[in-house]
Amino acid sequence: MTFKIQIRPDETTFTAAPGETVLEAALRQGIGLPYGCRNGQCGSCIGHLVSGSIGYPSGLITALEGKRAGTCLTCQAVATSDLVLEVAQRTVPAQIEVRTLPCRVERKERLNHDVVRLLLKLPEQQRIQFLAGQYLEFILRDGRKRAFSIANAPHDDARIELHIRQVAGGEFTRHIFDELQEKAILRIQGPLGSFILREDSPRPIIMMGGGTGFAPLKGMIEHAIHIGLDRPIRLYWGVRSRRDLYLPELPLQWAERLADFTFTPVLSEPDPDWQGRTGWVHEVVSEEHPALSDFEIYMSGPPAMIDAARVAFEHHGSGPDRMFSDAFTFGADRQPESTASG
């Protein structure tokens, strides 16, 4: 027995096998539904359940908590009948192939006190086609997976750039920082995720990153420069203190190459001599942009930051169809996390 799933508003249909999640069924049949972490935490895949019934794994604590009734978290939902779903933002082309490849650590570079940059080299004559903002997964020897956002733009794909933050108690990040050597061979799968730049929109852009949520935004901005995007871009980067900021030369370079670009770092635990903005980064965005209805907003960082921002930004006139996010989670087998990995 299979279940028929209809996606509105474009009336796409596909089938799901018993026990198969809606997202798994869609991707298996080349249907490009939005998704992020695939473990029920980030909320990127949420759709509206128009009709039918679904089930979730028992004990799942998900992004559905506190959401309105009738939502469907497609990465975890299993159809128990035929379904009709409303899903917006279907933007990742189905022809972007998810590949599994070995790679070599070509360079390991310390960016600040707790972030390293890895440059990964794929085998000769091999490339992963990806879109700016997507992520990849490391496949560990025991089959677990750890995910990190791609920090470079698609046109600059000779190497894959990752920003990895060390996390107390994180087994994988400890290995990256303390044991991983250049020339080591790793196994990756990608690209994944639907956190990508909407190139055909005319709206001005706000980008908001927390910690190493800077990584996918970097890829998007460098892609925007490459394609000659002329929309205003306002970049906000929230960290604890000045030492958490890294690659400080990049925003200056971007400002020289983009016609209308501003950069605002925000410190939640500011240094005594800090003269810039302080507090929570989403509050600074709301203060500087009290009317957000005209903007597209790209958010990348901890789930708490993104959840708080969504509430605040809706209060200031934004809507779910204009807010795109990549929420990093910790310690799960699948997570879109430039910030951490356990």
Side-chain angles (χ1 to χ4, degrees), residues 14 16 25 45 57 104 126 141-142 183 189 212 216 220 227 238 256-257 284 291 312 315 321 334:
F14 58 97
C45 68
R104 175 170 52 85
Q126 297 285 345
R141 290 182 179 180
D142 61 4
K183 300 185 179 179
Q189 183 179 69
T212 44
M220 289 182 178
I227 64 174
E256 292 178 354
R257 301 188 64 185
V284 172
H315 180 73
D321 61 332
R334 287 176 172 171

Side-chain angles (χ1 to χ4, degrees), residues 35 38 72 87 93 109 126 147 307-308:
Y35 68 95
R38 296 191 296 173
C72 175
V87 179
E109 175 188 3
Q126 297 285 345
D307 289 345

Side-chain angles (χ1 to χ4, degrees), residues 211-278:
T212 44
F214 178 77
L217 303 181
K218 171 184 177 294
M220 289 182 178
I221 292 170
E222 291 176 348
H223 178 63
I225 292 171
H226 179 71
I227 64 174
L229 198 72
D230 61 359
R231 294 153 61 188
I233 297 178
R234 306 287 176 255
L235 173 63
Y236 295 82
W237 188 8
V239 296
R240 288 188 179 90
S241 63
R242 183 188 284 111
R243 70 174 188 161
D244 297 310
L245 298 169
Y246 59 87
L247 298 174
E249 73 283 357
L250 287 182
L252 299 176
Q253 295 171 6
W254 296 337
E256 292 178 354
R257 301 188 64 185
L258 289 165
D260 192 354
F261 172 84
T262 63
F263 170 57
T264 306
V266 181
L267 306 189
S268 61
E269 300 174 8
D271 306 78
D273 61 344
W274 178 253
Q275 299 297 314
R277 298 306 306 265
T278 63

Side-chain angles (χ1 to χ4, degrees), residues 17-334:
E20 185 178 34
T21 69
V22 173
L23 180 62
E24 289 171 342
L27 296 179
R28 175 174 57 81
Q29 294 164 82
I31 307 299
L33 296 183
Y35 68 95
C37 66
R38 296 191 296 173
N39 65 16
Q41 297 298 316
C42 75
S44 297
C45 68
I46 283 179
H48 175 60
L49 181 62
V50 178
S51 66
S53 59
I54 54 178
Y56 290 102
S58 60
L60 180 69
I61 300 175
T62 75
L64 281 179
E65 290 192 344
K67 303 291 183 181
R68 67 186 186 279
T71 54
C72 175
L73 198 68
T74 64
C75 77
Q76 297 293 310
V78 173
T80 56
S81 73
D82 292 345
L83 303 178
V84 176
L85 302 175
E86 288 182 351
V87 179
Q89 305 166 13
R90 291 184 52 212
T91 56
V92 178
Q95 64 265 27
I96 297 290
E97 180 186 4
V98 177
R99 305 182 66 191
T100 300
L101 291 169
C103 66
R104 175 170 52 85
V105 179
E106 183 170 282
R107 185 175 178 184
K108 176 181 171 181
E109 175 188 3
R110 196 76 173 244
L111 296 180
N112 67 5
H113 66 105
D114 68 350
V115 175
V116 297
R117 170 162 56 187
L118 293 186
L119 295 179
L120 306 178
K121 179 72 173 177
L122 297 178
E124 292 298 328
Q125 309 303 320
Q126 297 285 345
R127 289 286 191 275
I128 287 180
Q129 182 186 9
F130 64 93
L131 302 177
Q134 290 189 291
Y135 69 94
L136 59 76
E137 292 179 330
F138 287 111
I139 303 175
L140 309 187
R141 290 182 179 180
D142 61 4
R144 290 179 298 159
K145 296 180 179 181
R146 292 292 182 262
F148 295 90
S149 297
I150 300 171
N152 52 302
H155 69 276
D156 182 24
D157 68 346
R159 297 162 187 81
I160 295 176
E161 177 180 346
L162 307 177
H163 301 169
I164 300 178
R165 184 172 70 88
Q166 188 173 28
V167 176
E171 177 185 347
F172 185 66
T173 57
R174 181 194 59 78
H175 170 72
I176 294 292
F177 273 75
D178 299 340
E179 301 171 5
L180 184 69
Q181 301 294 316
E182 293 181 351
K183 300 185 179 179
I185 301 299
L186 301 170
R187 192 162 172 247
I188 61 172
Q189 183 179 69
L192 300 163
S194 56
F195 183 63
I196 63 172
L197 187 65
R198 275 63 181 176
E199 299 176 24
D200 56 351
S201 169
R203 295 179 180 274
I205 295 169
I206 290 174
M207 294 186 177
M208 184 187 74
T212 44
F214 178 77
L217 303 181
K218 171 184 177 294
M220 289 182 178
I221 292 170
E222 291 176 348
H223 178 63
I225 292 171
H226 179 71
I227 64 174
L229 198 72
D230 61 359
R231 294 153 61 188
I233 297 178
R234 306 287 176 255
L235 173 63
Y236 295 82
W237 188 8
V239 296
R240 288 188 179 90
S241 63
R242 183 188 284 111
R243 70 174 188 161
D244 297 310
L245 298 169
Y246 59 87
L247 298 174
E249 73 283 357
L250 287 182
L252 299 176
Q253 295 171 6
W254 296 337
E256 292 178 354
R257 301 188 64 185
L258 289 165
D260 192 354
F261 172 84
T262 63
F263 170 57
T264 306
V266 181
L267 306 189
S268 61
E269 300 174 8
D271 306 78
D273 61 344
W274 178 253
Q275 299 297 314
R277 298 306 306 265
T278 63
W280 300 116
V281 63
H282 72 280
E283 293 179 350
V284 172
V285 173
S286 297
E287 180 181 334
E288 295 193 355
H289 302 279
L292 289 170
S293 59
D294 291 336
F295 288 89
E296 281 186 351
I297 304 174
Y298 295 83
M299 305 176 287
S300 181
M305 179 197 78
I306 290 175
D307 289 345
R310 285 187 179 278
V311 174
F313 295 165
E314 286 185 8
H315 180 73
H316 286 270
S318 187
D321 61 332
R322 297 187 297 278
M323 290 188 284
F324 313 105
S325 65
D326 189 10
F328 305 154
T329 60
F330 173 78
D333 282 347
R334 287 176 172 171

